[in-house]
Amino acid sequence: MSRPRIVIVGAGFAGYRTARTLSRLTRHQADITLLNPTDYFLYLPLLPQVAAGILEPRRVSVSLSGTLPHVRLVLGEADGIDLDGHTVHYTGPEGEEGTLPFDRLVLAAGSVNKLLPIPGVAEHAHGFRGLPEALYLRDHVTRQVELAAAADDRAECAARCTFVVVGAGYTGTEVAAHGAMYTDAQVRKHPMRTGMRPRWMLLDVAPRVMPEMDERLSRTAERVLRQRGVDVRMGTSVKEATHDGVVLTDGSTVDTRTLVWCVGVRPDPLVESLGLPMERGRLLVDPHLQVPGRPELFACGDVAAVPDLNQPGQYTPMTAQHAWRHGKVCAQNVAASLGIGERRAYRHRDMGFVVDLGGAKAAANPLGLPMSGPAAGAVTRGYHLAAMPGNRVRVAADWLLDAVLPRQAVQLGLVRSWSVPLESSSPEVARVPGSPKRPGKATGPAGQRPDGEEAGTHPGGEPARNHPGGEPAKGQPGGEPAKNEPSGGPAKGQPGGEPAKEQPGGEPAKNQPGGEPAKNQPGGEPAGSRSHGGRAKGGQSGSPRASGKPRRAVEAAGPRPARGGSGKPGKASRASGAGSAGKRPTAPSGPSRSAGPPTDPGPEPPANQPPPGPDIAPGPVKRTDGRAAEGDS
C-alpha cells in the first residue's frame, strides 16, 4: 500500500511550520511535498533591518532543504488546482510545467501587496514584502542621498532627501524608524548643503500610529519617530503619485523620488478561483482549519479565515504570530486525518506584540505588559531570536557588529525598480529580463519610477532601455550603452551588471580577462556587454534563453502573467488584477545552443543608444528614430 501524499503550497510562517511539524508527526509514514517559489523561509519581521543595512539578506532567510530534511522541496508557483482530480498544477523557475498529485492539500500561500485605486501609485511606488524589495529600497535610498550630495540645485537636493512611507502599521513604522537612522548616518559622511538633512514622512488615514496596538505603545512609537525627525501625519494619505512627487489628500504637494507602499496586504489570489466560500478574500475554514465539505483540503495563514473561538463571530487577523500557530494546529489535524493523533481546534492566547524601532528603542507589550526604551529593545530582539527557526547566531553576530562598527552604505545594483513592481503577485522573487509575459497576468507598471529608472517592458519582453536614472545601460561599465547586434536582439544585461549570455550564431559571448572583445561576433563588432572582464557562459542560471516552453513569469522583465489554469477541465485557475498579453522575446536567427526552435527576430532597435542622462529626466526619453520610448511618462 502506497503512503499518503501531502502537498503544502507556500513556505511562509504557516506553510513552513506545517511542513516541519508534519515531518515530525508522520515519521516517514507519508510523502510530504512543499511547493514554493524560493528555496528559503523568509523571517519577515526582520526585513526592515535588511533594508537599513543592519542584517545581511541571508540572515533572515532559512534554507528549506537544510531545515526540512524529510520534506521534498519543489520550486515553482501553483497556478491551478484541480480539487476533483486531486492535483496541483505549477510552473517551475525555468518555465517548466508540472503537476503534483495529493491525498491531502494544505493551502498556505500567504499574502501580497494591497493596492488602492490611487493614480500613479502602481507605477511609482514600491512595496515591502520580500527580499528583492528590501534590497532595492536599500540601494535606492543610498543612491538618492549620494545624488543629493552632488546636486547643484537646492530643490533637487531636497526632493532626493525626502522619503515618503504610506502606512503606519508595523511594517511602515519600522521602515520609517530604521530608514531615518540609516540616512542620518549616511549624511554625516557626505558634504551636503548647509542645513539640509534627510526628511522621512509617515502617512496614514488612521488616527494614530499602529492602531492595532495598545494606545500607550502607539504613543511610544510616535514619540520615537518624532525625536528622529520623522514627519508623522495621521489622517493623511496620498491622492496622486508622479515620477517627481506626490499629492496628499490635504492638498499639499511633496517633491520626492521615493514612495514606499506599506498600506497592507491581501490574501494571495490563488484561493479566489477555487469556487469555495470566501470571507474578504480568505478561504473559509472551520476551527480545525479544514474546508467544509472538502475533507482533503486544509488552509492556514493569511489565505484562511479561521474562526476566533475567543471572540465569537470574528476571525483571526492576518499576522505572522497567528500564521505560525496555524501551522502547528494544521499539521496536527492533517496527521489526525491519516489516523495519527487526534484533531484539535485552533484556539490562541494573545502573547503581545513587539516593534523594533532601531537602536535601543522599541515598543513591546509581552503578556500584556507595556514596555518601552532599552528594556523593550532587549525583549524585542530576544523574541526574534527565539522565534527564528535558524540563523540565530549569525543574526546576533550582525547585531553585535552593528553596535560597534559603522554600516556600509554602498549600492550593489542587484535589483532595479522594474524588477520589483508594486503589483507583483510574487514579491518574494525579483523579475529578470529576457522572459515573455503570459496572457492574463496583471501587467507591470510602466513609465518613470520615483527614482528615475524607466520601468515596464518593450514589445518582445525586453527590459526598458535608456534609463534616465543616471545608471549604466544594461550592465555596461562606465555607463556605455549596450551595442545591438545585427540580428535585431539587443544585448540583454542581467541585473547586477552581468554580460549578455547568448550572441547571434549560437556562440556565447567570450569576454576575455583584461577586457578583450568577444570573438566570433557578426561583423567583427565586439560584444557590447562586459562584466569586469569575466567570461559569460551560455546557459548560466539567470540568462535568457530561447525555449519552446514559456519562461517562468517571475524571471520576466515584464509583469507576471495571471495564474490561469492550464486549460484542463475542472482546474481552478489563479487570477490577479487586470492582465495584458505580451510577446515572447525573439531568438537570434541561425543555429542556437538553447533548447527549442528559434523564433523570428524582432524589429531592429537603433544601433546607437543615447548616453545615460540625469537621475530624473525632465521629459520623455527620445529615441533615435524620432519616436518616444515606450513606457515614458
Side-chain angles (χ1 to χ4, degrees), residues 331-355:
Q332 292 173 338
N333 291 334
V334 170
S337 71
L338 300 175
I340 304 172
E342 298 180 357
R343 291 205 314 167
R344 55 170 293 193
Y346 178 75
R347 189 183 296 271
H348 72 95
R349 178 191 175 195
D350 188 3
M351 303 295 291
F353 297 94
V354 294
V355 179

Side-chain angles (χ1 to χ4, degrees), residues 363-564:
N365 61 342
L367 302 177
L369 177 64
M371 300 177 66
S372 61
V379 169
T380 298
R381 295 201 167 184
Y383 169 80
H384 287 316
L385 286 180
M388 286 195 68
N391 297 344
R392 296 186 180 95
V393 175
R394 290 184 172 92
V395 170
D398 274 4
W399 283 340
L400 178 61
L401 291 175
D402 180 69
V404 298
L405 296 176
R407 299 180 195 174
Q408 295 176 301
V410 294
Q411 310 175 48
L412 299 180
L414 299 178
V415 182
R416 303 301 178 93
S417 67
W418 49 263
S419 301
V420 284
L422 181 62
E423 53 77 34
S424 175
S425 62
S426 290
E428 67 274 10
V429 288
R431 297 177 182 174
V432 297
S435 178
K437 294 179 282 187
R438 288 190 193 169
K441 190 66 176 179
T443 57
Q448 297 292 340
R449 294 289 183 189
D451 61 351
E453 297 179 14
E454 185 177 346
T457 58
H458 290 281
E462 301 168 12
R465 295 181 289 274
N466 305 329
H467 289 260
E471 300 182 7
K474 297 296 172 288
Q476 301 299 322
E480 297 178 5
K483 295 181 176 61
N484 297 313
E485 300 299 336
S487 66
K492 296 178 174 62
Q494 299 299 317
E498 296 182 12
K501 301 289 191 298
E502 300 290 344
Q503 301 296 332
E507 289 291 331
K510 298 180 174 62
N511 299 321
Q512 304 298 328
E516 297 180 12
K519 309 281 191 305
N520 302 327
Q521 297 300 322
E525 185 176 349
S529 297
R530 291 286 178 267
S531 177
H532 309 292
R535 182 172 61 187
K537 298 180 180 179
Q540 183 176 343
S541 176
S543 62
R545 54 178 190 171
S547 173
K549 297 180 180 180
R551 290 290 303 275
R552 185 185 179 193
V554 294
E555 292 186 358
R560 293 174 48 82
R563 299 185 183 177

Side-chain angles (χ1 to χ4, degrees), residues 202-277:
L202 182 61
L203 312 176
D204 203 311
V205 295
R208 58 187 175 91
V209 173
M210 293 186 301
E212 308 91 345
M213 295 188 70
D214 182 86
E215 188 172 353
R216 287 172 292 182
L217 298 180
S218 295
R219 289 198 301 265
T220 298
E222 184 172 350
R223 182 175 67 251
V224 172
L225 291 172
R226 294 189 183 279
Q227 288 174 350
R228 292 181 183 165
V230 178
D231 184 0
V232 181
R233 298 192 185 184
M234 295 293 98
T236 306
S237 188
V238 172
K239 182 179 180 181
E240 181 182 0
T242 64
H243 74 277
D244 56 0
V246 293
V247 179
L248 306 184
T249 53
D250 60 7
S252 61
T253 300
V254 179
D255 293 334
T256 181
R257 304 293 188 268
T258 308
L259 180 59
V260 187
W261 192 256
C262 301
V263 169
V265 295
R266 62 187 178 92
D268 193 293
L270 173 65
V271 299
E272 293 179 355
S273 54
L274 294 178
L276 298 173

Side-chain angles (χ1 to χ4, degrees), residues 324-336:
W324 187 251
R325 297 174 180 178
H326 286 176
K328 181 179 179 180
V329 175
C330 184
Q332 292 173 338
N333 291 334
V334 170

